[in-house]
Amino acid sequence: MCIDARQAHQNLKAMKANKTDPHDAAGLAQLARTGFYKEVQVKSSAAHGVRSVITARSHLVEARVRLDHIIRGLCATFGYRPGAGQGKAFLERIMQAAHIPGLGEAIAFLLSVRAELMEQIKEMDRRLRVIAVSRKPVKSS
């Protein structure tokens, strides 16, 4: 049995017992005895694994966006505004700035890191698609 933590917290708070581990344990035991709790399911290891891949992908996308902003900031320092976007058109506009002395080398390094990030994001997308296709839909009740 697993008790909903939010509901248990609210119930224990209503009991106004001193906040100590023994009192919490006694309060949880009282909730179990009286049946005044909401039972919840525990996620499987597989579900936690999928969630961790989704979270990791999200962080990589954030890193790519930050990298794009750094590239735009460096370009702005040299008076070049690449404009909005993130795809091929953005990369083409950035490559136009590669001839600017002092900027081209920095952009080259950042673009190589960006390319590796994009590959990792695409690989995670592929894995998540495989997981999504292989999973059975959950019936809601």
Side-chain angles (χ1 to χ4, degrees), residues 53-80:
V53 173
I54 292 170
T55 301
R57 183 194 177 280
S58 173
H59 286 295
L60 289 180
V61 169
E62 288 175 16
R64 193 229 356 117
V65 169
R66 280 194 309 269
L67 205 53
D68 287 352
H69 289 260
I70 290 169
I71 291 170
R72 282 188 177 89
L74 288 173
C75 288
T77 301
F78 286 85
Y80 180 75

Side-chain angles (χ1 to χ4, degrees), residues 72-93:
R72 282 188 177 89
L74 288 173
C75 288
T77 301
F78 286 85
Y80 180 75
R81 302 275 181 180
Q86 62 180 353
K88 290 180 184 178
F90 171 71
L91 292 176
E92 289 171 6
R93 290 190 304 265

Side-chain angles (χ1 to χ4, degrees), residues 11-107:
N11 290 335
L12 292 175
K13 196 164 74 171
M15 294 173 138
K16 299 197 184 224
N18 289 338
K19 186 73 175 141
T20 62
D21 287 342
H23 287 158
D24 284 348
L28 289 173
Q30 179 64 22
L31 289 176
R33 273 192 300 276
T34 60
F36 193 67
Y37 61 86
K38 179 179 174 185
E39 196 169 332
V40 294
Q41 289 185 327
V42 178
K43 290 183 183 178
S44 67
S45 294
H48 282 294
V50 170
R51 176 54 55 192
S52 66
V53 173
I54 292 170
T55 301
R57 183 194 177 280
S58 173
H59 286 295
L60 289 180
V61 169
E62 288 175 16
R64 193 229 356 117
V65 169
R66 280 194 309 269
L67 205 53
D68 287 352
H69 289 260
I70 290 169
I71 291 170
R72 282 188 177 89
L74 288 173
C75 288
T77 301
F78 286 85
Y80 180 75
R81 302 275 181 180
Q86 62 180 353
K88 290 180 184 178
F90 171 71
L91 292 176
E92 289 171 6
R93 290 190 304 265
I94 292 298
M95 293 312 291
Q96 292 173 359
H99 70 279
I100 299 173
L103 181 60
E105 193 173 281
I107 286 178

Side-chain angles (χ1 to χ4, degrees), residues 1 4 9 14 29 41 47 49-51 58 85 95 112 134 138-139:
M1 166 176 57
D4 181 18
H9 174 73
Q41 289 185 327
V50 170
R51 176 54 55 192
S58 173
M95 293 312 291
S112 68
S134 68
V138 177
K139 293 181 183 178

